[in-house]
Amino acid sequence: MSDGTRGRTTRRRLVAALAAGGLAGCLRLESSDGTATTTAASSAATTRASATEPATDSGTAAETTTAVDAPESDWPQFQADAGNRGYVPDAVGPTADPTLAWEYDGGDAGVVVANGVAYPGDRLAGVFADDGRALFDATAGLTLPAVGDDAVYVGDRGGLVAMAATEREERWRADLQGAITAPTLADGVVYAGTDDEYDDGFAVGVHAFDASDGSRRWLTETDVGVERAVACDGDRVLAALVDRTLLALDAADGSERWRFDGVSRFSAPTLVDDTVYVAGDGDREGELLALDASDGRVRWSFALGGDVHVSPAVTEDRVYVGTTEDRALYAVDRADGTRWWRAGVDGWAVGSPAATADAVYVGTRDGTVHALDAADGAERFAIDLGSETVAPPAVASGRLLVSTDGTTYAFE
């Protein structure tokens, strides 16, 4: 990574309007007849870039603009798709001079975007992705949601819930005990893993439900739980277990196909085409592994400079993964595992990276979101959010979306 002088702008307060719609905890005024009027919510974010923010007056909404030449693109579930790829080929995000388009008072587990609506994790809500106006607030949900054509699927402490995509309406609920992972939606089926973090004495493992009505397809019980989102390509389901085992299941009936010992319990697997990319642990701690999806054989491994607590992001030719103690993001050749570049970041890379054709974005424990050039790892900009940035960012329709400490931000 090339070194360069990085100027630090002063902290500026940016104003974003939030329209009323049952926003628990947000600034909202209601008239006597129950109709809602809007007021402004403000926050601050520090960028290490020559950012230009729109001038605003206190108590008025900032004028929002659509990112220039940014095609419409979605990021509808954890790491963009059912394989946890962390990459959408036509996604475009900011690469220089970022400005705060809007912020929303909610979200701590990341954010997904589908059909022009953003859905923050940890408190399910629908927010218009172009300007941050609230569509609905369900005030429920603990996980990052997965969004289908007309429904949103989210886990809470009572189980897996299907909500209408554009209103506060529960479609169905599957009762599950314990902690539940972010759901994965693939080919009309919702998959989720469970763990006994909150209780014991019940079945833990990988669950599959029909997305239309919540009927159970299958349950594969495991001796230990699953803490990270599973990956699925419609044929197989991959789950990283707490005991550092990677389990491959048949997507149709949940039967076991193979297992591999020595993967990180903190890193969800990434499944792209016929290869599984996952962080190693135990004897393979500090390694990035590429496994054959058909039988679990190691295709290649790459020794990283530190432990990995994130999921790899995979493009057409590269794999991006961040490390903790090493405080770096690596770009590795997808075909043979050779290194393209290494970029140092300010803190532990604890948010799974999000990649586009031009840039890769990663959050660190010190509260910074870094934008790095995809070609050589040079830093394009860094945004200091002031608190841990452990949730993975999302890139959709010209904007970078990230949540931290109960607030969701959209930058363009």
Side-chain angles (χ1 to χ4, degrees):
M1 173 180 174
S2 60
D3 294 329
T5 302
R6 297 180 298 185
R8 183 182 296 270
T9 63
T10 59
R11 183 175 293 265
R12 296 179 175 89
R13 299 187 67 83
L14 303 177
V15 181
L18 297 176
L23 283 177
C26 294
L27 294 175
R28 181 170 63 93
L29 300 176
E30 290 189 357
S31 63
S32 59
D33 62 359
T35 59
T37 60
T38 62
T39 186
S42 64
S43 77
T46 302
T47 63
R48 291 199 301 263
S50 299
T52 303
E53 290 93 358
T56 61
D57 295 323
S58 177
T60 61
E63 181 181 357
T64 57
T65 58
T66 302
V68 178
D69 297 329
E72 291 295 324
S73 59
D74 288 344
W75 197 278
Q77 54 188 312
F78 172 76
Q79 289 300 88
D81 66 12
N84 302 335
R85 186 170 186 174
Y87 169 67
V88 174
D90 60 351
V92 175
T95 56
D97 301 334
T99 60
L100 181 61
W102 53 263
E103 70 177 80
Y104 174 74
D105 183 15
D108 204 23
V111 58
V112 299
V113 183
N115 304 316
V117 179
Y119 302 88
D122 106 16
R123 189 187 78 192
L124 181 62
V127 181
F128 285 107
D130 59 349
D131 58 13
R133 290 179 300 117
L135 179 62
F136 72 90
D137 189 342
T139 63
L142 291 174
T143 72
L144 191 65
V147 187
D149 292 336
D150 62 353
V152 182
Y153 307 92
V154 64
D156 62 21
R157 291 193 181 184
L160 183 66
V161 184
M163 302 285 297
T166 57
E167 59 185 329
R168 187 174 174 173
E169 174 193 343
E170 185 172 310
R171 297 280 182 83
W172 55 259
R173 174 181 290 271
D175 293 331
L176 297 174
Q177 292 177 300
I180 184 171
T181 67
T184 299
L185 177 63
D187 299 329
V189 181
V190 185
Y191 303 91
T194 52
D195 188 27
D196 58 359
E197 177 182 354
Y198 302 127
D199 201 355
D200 56 18
F202 58 87
V204 297
V206 182
H207 308 253
F209 298 94
D210 190 291
S212 63
D213 58 13
S215 59
R216 182 182 290 278
R217 293 285 187 92
W218 50 261
L219 162 63
T220 297
E221 295 188 36
T222 54
D223 293 333
V224 294
V226 183
E227 293 182 330
R228 297 294 182 264
V230 304
C232 182
D233 63 1
D235 178 48
R236 57 184 72 86
V237 178
L238 279 298
L241 306 184
V242 171
D243 66 358
R244 298 177 176 83
T245 298
L246 182 66
L247 186 62
L249 306 173
D250 190 294
D253 58 16
S255 58
E256 182 175 330
R257 291 191 175 181
W258 54 264
R259 60 176 58 209
F260 179 89
D261 294 327
V263 301
S264 173
R265 61 183 289 187
F266 303 112
S267 174
T270 301
L271 176 58
V272 181
D273 298 331
D274 59 351
T275 305
V276 185
Y277 304 89
V278 67
D281 205 346
D283 293 340
R284 292 187 174 276
E285 184 175 357
E287 293 184 23
L288 173 64
L289 304 173
L291 309 178
D292 189 308
S294 65
D295 56 16
R297 290 182 297 109
V298 178
R299 289 185 166 173
W300 55 255
S301 65
F302 176 79
L304 301 162
D307 199 6
V308 177
H309 288 185
V310 301
S311 301
V314 182
T315 67
E316 285 82 4
D317 58 359
R318 302 182 193 186
V319 182
Y320 299 104
V321 65
T323 57
T324 53
E325 294 91 344
D326 189 35
R327 301 188 177 194
L329 186 78
Y330 288 81
V332 178
D333 192 280
R334 179 178 165 184
D336 59 14
T338 56
R339 190 174 93 173
W340 283 72
W341 49 258
R342 174 192 177 278
V345 292
D346 290 341
W348 285 18
V350 289
S352 296
T356 70
D358 298 320
V360 56
Y361 307 89
V362 63
T364 58
R365 178 164 287 179
D366 73 336
T368 304
V369 179
H370 297 264
L372 306 175
D373 192 291
D376 58 11
E379 185 172 273
R380 296 285 190 87
F381 63 81
I383 304 170
D384 183 7
L385 297 176
S387 60
E388 280 193 14
T389 312
V390 298
V395 185
S397 301
R399 293 205 167 116
L400 169 66
L401 297 98
V402 61
S403 67
T404 180
D405 198 24
T407 303
T408 298
Y409 302 92
F411 294 93
E412 60 185 12

